[in-house]
Amino acid sequence: MKVILPVMGAAMALAACSSPAPVEEIADAPVDVAVEADAAAPTSAAIEAAKVALRAEPKVKDLSYSATDTVQWNVGVLDDGSRRTGYAEYLCSVIGEKGALAGRTHVRIVDIAKVAQGSDFRDANLGHVICETGDIVDA
């Protein structure tokens, strides 16, 4: 979320003055804050297009999507012993190309064999990223 504070520009311009304004005057000054709305939720068509594109990836064996979960995309692959954070970042780009990113979209790559044996997605984690920021989770 971006917050724009027009007062900051004025405060910086006033910084060159010989005597700063009292803190009370700055604190009481009206502030025009423009808040950027969170990204709109992707359409069901965009979600479906992303699912089709992800399923077409040779490494993807299965996937689940839930708009209401913290991790929206859980993508199952066969574990080859490597971390799959880079692959998760790549899948973020695929999801983004289909218009299915939604503010803080999480993609987690999971070991499909562990999930099939009853492990939850977190325990089967091979790589987890937040698409919009590139932040790695559970490294």
Side-chain angles (χ1 to χ4, degrees), residues 5 14 25 45-46 51-52 59 67 71 73 95 99 106 122 132:
L5 299 173
L14 292 174
E25 287 181 28
K51 287 179 180 179
V52 168
K59 294 179 183 180
V71 178
W73 296 92
I95 294 166
H106 289 242
R122 188 172 188 140
E132 290 80 359

Side-chain angles (χ1 to χ4, degrees), residues 97-121:
E97 288 171 4
K98 300 304 177 186
L101 293 179
R104 284 188 58 85
T105 303
H106 289 242
V107 171
R108 179 187 287 140
I109 307 300
V110 297
D111 179 350
I112 192 79
K114 283 186 178 179
V115 172
Q117 294 170 353
S119 291
D120 65 17
F121 292 134

